[in-house]
Amino acid sequence: MSTAISPKSKASEPEIDPDLRAVKPQSLMRRLFRSTGSYILVLDVLLIIAFGFASNNFVFWSAQNVQALLINGTEALLLALGLAMLLGAGAFDLSIGSNLVLSSVLGASTIKALAGAPDAAGNYPNLGVAIALGAVVCVATGVVYGIVNGILIAYFDINSLIATLGTMGVGTGVALVITQGGDITGVPIPLQEHFGLASFLSIPYPTMIAVVAAIALFLLLRFTRYGMRTLALGSERTSAERAGIRVKPQLVSLAAIAGGLCGIAGFIDISRYGSTAEAGHVQDPLVAITAVVIGGTLIEGGRVSIIGVIWGTVLAVVLQTGLIIIGVPSFYQLIAVGLVLIIAVGIDRYRVRHRGDR
Amino acid sequence: MTSQHDGTRHAGKVPQEKPGFDIAISGRHIAKKFGHVQALTDASVTVHAGEVVALFGDNGAGKSTFLKTLLGMIKPDAGEFIVADQEVSFQSIRDAQERGVEAVHQDLALAPDLSVVDNMFLGNELLSRGLLGRLGVLDRKEMTERADQALRDLSIKLPSLKVDISALSGGQKQALAVARAVMWGHTAVLMDEPTAALGARQSAIVCDLMRTVAERGLGVLVVSHDLPRVLKVADRVTILWRGTTALESPAADLTVPEVVATMVGYGKDAAA
């Protein structure tokens, strides 16, 4: 302070005269380091090469396994995309797996109730209508679930971790009550044959849906007012409020988008397995958060990388599938994904510390 | 409908003719109680078009609360407001913005992860023409041009309009916040401690900006502790003392010691 008072101390002027200081252009290394997505893509490629060589007869590279990777990644990507949108606005969602399960249970019930009994040849009387309505029920359930989350977070001002932890419990419980603890099986097989396990040019139909969703969200964030306001909200909520943005409806709509994506994932789930898989989605939040965070989306909000989410999802899925293929017991997958998450957040913290003013 | 541009706001346009109002913004006899604390008892201030009015007061005198009532962020218990010669009652900051009243908040209210252009237009985004605009797609090209023009009009130099503003210096952010308020305000601009975080030279720049804004026919109300500097730039001075307006006077008639004496000693004088 003493130098600031003395008018003679010209040497300290740059310190108290920041207006003249231009923004330093960032070096190529730094810019590459900033876009975590490109890092993760390199890591993805390395892992795919490594697992290929480590697997018997290079089975990891087989068309069959690649298809399995794609379809495994599809649901994970849909959940991660929704989570990324919410994180962009500074909100978490732990209930994504539970939302998927509840949506799939209600969707499967709808399909079974409407499709009717199959004849001797396995044809269902009302299959088309049943599946269409089932899909609608899945997505609608997801959206409503999301809206409930959004209202709790925005209007009741409940911390998003707590709110969605609570709705996760409620959602899972409701699903179990409906199914009496079991899974709904016997969803009409044509749904699997013609959608869930079908593909076009070796790309599974469900994967196409997830890719379309990713592109749509990328465009939404990059080019629209909605996307800009979402990032503003995550970047500094009070600033967004003072700019006259209706922050609460924005949060609810984001939660609805995330919920809708869970609903789509729920429909894909029953289409793949021909049944619900209630026990299979406990780890979904872990995988989704890992995928989003390693892709370079900031957990404080304000910055979302949709491309990073894609590469992050690939990493999580390749890691899980690869470990199984090279014969590591499946329990180790969880350890691996958990460690990746912690390392990713560690790197994220490092970046935040080195960004300067946050 | 050929354009999706928001026609109700004067986006970055410099009003060429004299504004059609005398009083830019005024709050008369404002009172506000928070629980047991009487933050404002009888606070009044009037800012005419083309005028810089300084609002001084000791800490706790109610300056910030008063400013927030003028912006519709806090609803007062009593009193009346006039904006552009018309009596108004704001329910939220959006109402104030619709009447052309903008603020430069002490914490600047910028979004650090957004670019300079996006920050300038946050809440007042321009949409593309036609179908894309109906889908909510931004017209970033037009936004960039207008932001550039608005910054030039105020002689504000920034290294780039595309960088996240977290890369800007404190002075640059302050200038940006002022430019944003000027861009959207067409009646009055309220500034809360605009020089508090700045060095000597930036403070001078911001004070020049106040005059530039006033010369455009807007009313400028500035809350500050920087008495010498702001006293020099202001046309008139209003001093708050414990939630009450103690003095409204032309700035030329006042010296810094007199202002300080009124800020801290008004009640003693009155009692004596």
Side-chain angles (χ1 to χ4, degrees):
Chain A
M1 278 311 288
S2 59
T3 52
I5 291 164
S6 160
K8 289 257 169 88
S9 62
K10 285 282 176 203
S12 67
E13 183 130 339
E15 241 76 63
I16 58 164
D17 196 2
D19 196 47
L20 297 178
R21 193 180 54 199
V23 177
K24 273 180 274 173
Q26 292 182 324
S27 68
L28 183 67
M29 279 307 291
R30 238 189 107 75
R31 267 180 288 157
L32 270 181
F33 185 68
R34 264 175 84 99
S35 108
T36 319
S38 42
Y39 253 157
I40 300 301
L41 176 59
V42 172
L43 199 55
D44 288 341
V45 171
L46 290 178
L47 271 178
I48 289 169
I49 292 171
F51 279 127
F53 281 111
S55 57
N56 288 331
N57 296 326
F58 308 110
V59 69
F60 191 81
W61 293 339
S62 66
Q64 214 179 353
N65 188 52
V66 170
Q67 281 222 354
L69 280 174
L70 285 175
I71 198 143
N72 282 336
T74 295
E75 286 178 41
L77 179 59
L78 286 168
L79 298 185
L81 286 171
L83 185 72
M85 293 300 288
L86 274 172
L87 273 182
F92 256 95
D93 190 350
L94 296 178
S95 68
I96 44 182
S98 160
N99 188 342
L100 188 163
V101 166
L102 184 61
S103 301
S104 69
V105 163
L106 292 177
S109 309
T110 307
I111 293 172
K112 281 191 74 172
L114 293 180
D119 60 20
N123 294 321
Y124 290 83
N126 302 314
L127 189 61
V129 178
I131 288 175
L133 274 176
V136 169
V137 166
C138 280
V139 176
T141 306
V143 168
V144 170
Y145 200 129
I147 288 174
V148 170
N149 283 337
I151 289 172
L152 292 176
I153 295 166
Y155 289 94
F156 289 85
D157 209 18
I158 299 172
N159 177 294
S160 59
L161 282 170
I162 301 302
T164 56
L165 188 64
T167 59
M168 176 178 87
V170 173
T172 309
V174 170
L176 288 170
V177 167
I178 292 171
T179 62
Q180 296 296 308
D183 272 307
I184 298 177
T185 54
V187 174
I189 290 166
L191 181 59
Q192 267 176 301
E193 284 176 345
H194 298 296
F195 175 68
L197 299 178
S199 58
F200 178 73
L201 298 176
S202 323
I203 298 169
Y205 286 128
T207 306
M208 292 180 196
I209 292 178
V211 170
V212 168
I215 293 170
L217 292 179
F218 175 82
L219 296 175
L220 186 70
L221 281 173
R222 194 67 168 268
F223 296 111
T224 71
R225 175 168 67 188
Y226 184 86
M228 173 180 156
R229 289 182 169 186
T230 298
L231 296 178
L233 162 56
S235 188
E236 193 67 64
R237 180 169 171 163
T238 49
S239 299
E241 278 167 349
R242 286 180 186 172
I245 292 170
R246 289 172 176 83
V247 160
K248 290 173 182 181
Q250 182 92 11
L251 271 173
V252 173
S253 66
L254 283 165
I257 290 174
L261 291 168
C262 294
I264 295 173
F267 180 71
I268 290 172
D269 209 47
I270 48 179
S271 313
R272 269 176 80 183
Y273 297 117
S275 74
T276 61
E278 292 195 48
H281 295 282
V282 181
Q283 318 302 340
D284 282 359
L286 172 64
V287 174
I289 292 170
T290 305
V292 171
V293 172
I294 57 182
T297 296
L298 283 181
I299 52 178
E300 284 87 2
R303 180 163 300 171
V304 176
S305 167
I306 293 292
I307 295 167
V309 172
I310 296 173
W311 302 143
T313 306
V314 170
L315 184 68
V317 173
V318 162
L319 203 58
Q320 285 180 306
T321 314
L323 289 175
I324 296 175
I325 284 194
I326 63 171
V328 177
S330 63
F331 314 117
Y332 287 93
Q333 292 171 35
L334 280 178
I335 297 175
V337 174
L339 286 178
V340 167
L341 175 63
I342 290 169
I343 293 167
V345 174
I347 294 172
D348 178 75
R349 294 298 81 193
Y350 177 86
R351 291 192 315 165
V352 168
R353 273 203 307 279
H354 287 75
R355 278 181 67 205
D357 67 341
R358 282 187 78 122
Chain B
M1 188 151 175
T2 54
S3 169
Q4 295 279 312
H5 288 172
D6 190 349
T8 60
R9 309 286 300 267
H10 300 242
K13 293 257 166 62
V14 185
Q16 293 301 322
E17 71 279 13
K18 278 261 170 208
F21 53 84
D22 173 38
I23 294 177
I25 189 165
S26 172
R28 309 305 302 173
H29 311 299
I30 307 300
K32 177 70 191 176
K33 202 170 184 176
F34 294 111
H36 294 293
V37 180
Q38 189 79 40
L40 296 174
T41 315
D42 182 10
S44 297
V45 72
T46 298
V47 187
H48 295 89
E51 191 179 55
V52 178
V53 174
L55 180 63
F56 294 138
D58 205 359
N59 290 332
K63 301 186 297 290
S64 290
T65 307
F66 193 21
L67 218 56
K68 283 179 180 160
T69 60
L70 289 167
L71 286 165
M73 294 167 77
I74 294 176
K75 195 133 180 58
D77 303 328
E80 58 180 35
F81 298 101
I82 293 167
V83 169
D85 291 341
Q86 287 182 333
E87 199 167 319
V88 293
S89 171
F90 295 150
Q91 301 301 316
S92 74
I93 197 162
R94 276 190 294 279
D95 292 347
Q97 287 167 344
E98 265 159 38
R99 296 288 187 132
V101 179
E102 289 284 334
V104 180
H105 299 276
Q106 195 168 358
D107 59 9
L108 301 183
L110 301 169
D113 296 293
L114 265 52
S115 69
V116 171
V117 172
D118 285 4
N119 265 289
M120 289 283 283
F121 281 87
L122 187 57
N124 296 301
E125 302 84 350
L126 295 182
L127 297 182
S128 296
R129 286 148 209 279
L131 179 66
L132 284 179
R134 240 163 274 186
L135 291 172
V137 174
L138 296 166
D139 188 349
R140 279 229 168 75
K141 188 164 170 282
E142 178 81 15
M143 281 163 63
T144 307
E145 280 167 15
R146 289 206 201 177
D148 188 43
Q149 192 56 49
L151 291 167
R152 274 175 206 282
D153 287 348
L154 298 172
S155 308
I156 295 168
K157 292 189 189 72
L158 296 176
S160 159
L161 301 185
K162 303 238 160 94
V163 291
D164 296 352
I165 59 147
S166 56
L168 298 182
S169 73
Q172 289 167 338
K173 283 182 204 164
Q174 188 78 50
L176 172 61
V178 174
R180 180 172 74 177
V182 174
M183 188 163 183
W184 301 110
H186 49 89
T187 319
V189 173
L190 315 188
M191 304 189 189
D192 193 0
E193 298 285 2
T195 59
L198 299 182
R201 188 182 307 191
Q202 284 71 48
S203 298
I205 292 172
V206 169
C207 286
D208 286 348
L209 279 177
M210 291 176 203
R211 281 257 60 103
T212 312
V213 175
E215 277 158 20
R216 294 176 165 205
L218 278 72
V220 177
L221 179 63
V222 52
V223 168
S224 183
H225 276 105
D226 192 350
L227 303 184
R229 207 182 301 276
V230 173
L231 196 57
K232 228 179 279 172
V233 77
D235 298 301
R236 289 191 308 110
V237 171
T238 296
I239 298 177
L240 270 189
W241 183 81
R242 295 196 189 170
T244 303
T245 291
L247 180 74
E248 291 183 280
S249 160
D253 300 348
L254 287 172
T255 62
V256 172
E258 284 165 357
V259 171
V260 174
T262 313
M263 274 167 61
V264 301
Y266 166 74
K268 284 175 213 150
D269 288 353

